[in-house]
Amino acid sequence: EKLTVAAPSYHGAAMRYGVIGMVPLASALGPSVTASVRAGNVRLETAAGVVVEIHPLWLRERCLSDSSVDASTRQPLHGFHEVVDGLLASNATTSATELVVGFTDGHSSSFPLEDILQEWSGFETTPVQSEQYEPPVVQTWNASLRFPPEVTYEQVFQPAGRMKFLSSLLTIGMTVVTGAPTEPGVCSALASNVSTLRPTEWGEV
């Protein structure tokens, strides 16, 4: 059997708990930024007078403390649905380089202030799990693309095949996997091989 794997758009998901008033911060940064909490959201104000508010879940998702992510891979240790319902920011402070936020469940996170501000301006190129990231060039396509890239199911489990599989997803948005078994659990096995598959509140995938 063939499986057609398409890359989802993360723009909506990334902004689901994002800035409550998007502004172009890249040109508005001053020498200092002050922080406060307003109605559970973190409020930042630049020296240039630009004010933004950030949802606490947007920040919590970016926490890189040992209690939140694996130290070597930076993969989250918990599903986002496990965060306390109704989580709010309780306090926030800034230094010259850091933003420190306390949450109502007792957790505290520190963030490089420059990284947080840069992500607002262009979050597509600043992923949480990587310090250095060079995305491949996206290839637009139309009806002339008669045969999308293919890899066999067995090849996806080998380094070269996995690289081709992921490269195709990142450049044209799809890859056809041929020769996939039809038994239960095949999609889960493939997904676990190229990423981290975690159970949700609805159970195992």
Side-chain angles (χ1 to χ4, degrees), residues 34-44 54-57 59-60 87-95 98-111:
T34 59
S36 59
V37 173
R38 178 180 177 181
N41 300 312
V42 174
R43 178 185 173 95
L44 297 180
I54 316 170
H55 197 289
L57 290 180
L59 285 167
R60 184 62 168 266
L87 183 74
L88 301 173
S90 57
N91 57 79
T93 60
T94 58
S95 67
E98 281 192 323
L99 166 65
V100 179
V101 178
F103 298 91
T104 51
D105 65 347
H107 183 82
S108 180
S109 302
S110 62
F111 309 91

Side-chain angles (χ1 to χ4, degrees), residues 33-137:
V33 178
T34 59
S36 59
V37 173
R38 178 180 177 181
N41 300 312
V42 174
R43 178 185 173 95
L44 297 180
E45 183 172 358
T46 73
V50 176
V51 177
V52 294
E53 291 187 22
I54 316 170
H55 197 289
L57 290 180
W58 190 88
L59 285 167
R60 184 62 168 266
E61 188 177 22
R62 284 151 180 77
C63 177
L64 297 179
S65 68
D66 291 343
S67 62
S68 298
V69 299
D70 181 274
S72 59
T73 67
R74 291 191 173 184
Q75 286 293 314
L77 298 176
H78 311 286
F80 202 54
H81 66 282
E82 298 176 89
V83 174
V84 176
D85 189 30
L87 183 74
L88 301 173
S90 57
N91 57 79
T93 60
T94 58
S95 67
T97 59
E98 281 192 323
L99 166 65
V100 179
V101 178
F103 298 91
T104 51
D105 65 347
H107 183 82
S108 180
S109 302
S110 62
F111 309 91
L113 188 56
E114 183 178 0
D115 291 352
I116 293 296
L117 296 175
Q118 284 182 345
E119 187 168 0
W120 282 333
S121 300
F123 57 84
E124 296 92 343
T125 58
T126 54
V128 173
Q129 277 78 32
S130 177
E131 295 182 353
Q132 296 182 340
Y133 178 61
E134 296 182 6
V137 178

Side-chain angles (χ1 to χ4, degrees), residues 1-3 153-154 177-190:
E1 296 293 330
K2 289 187 176 182
L3 301 174
Y153 183 77
E154 291 77 13
V177 180
T178 62
T182 57
E183 61 207 41
V186 168
C187 287
S188 295
L190 187 146

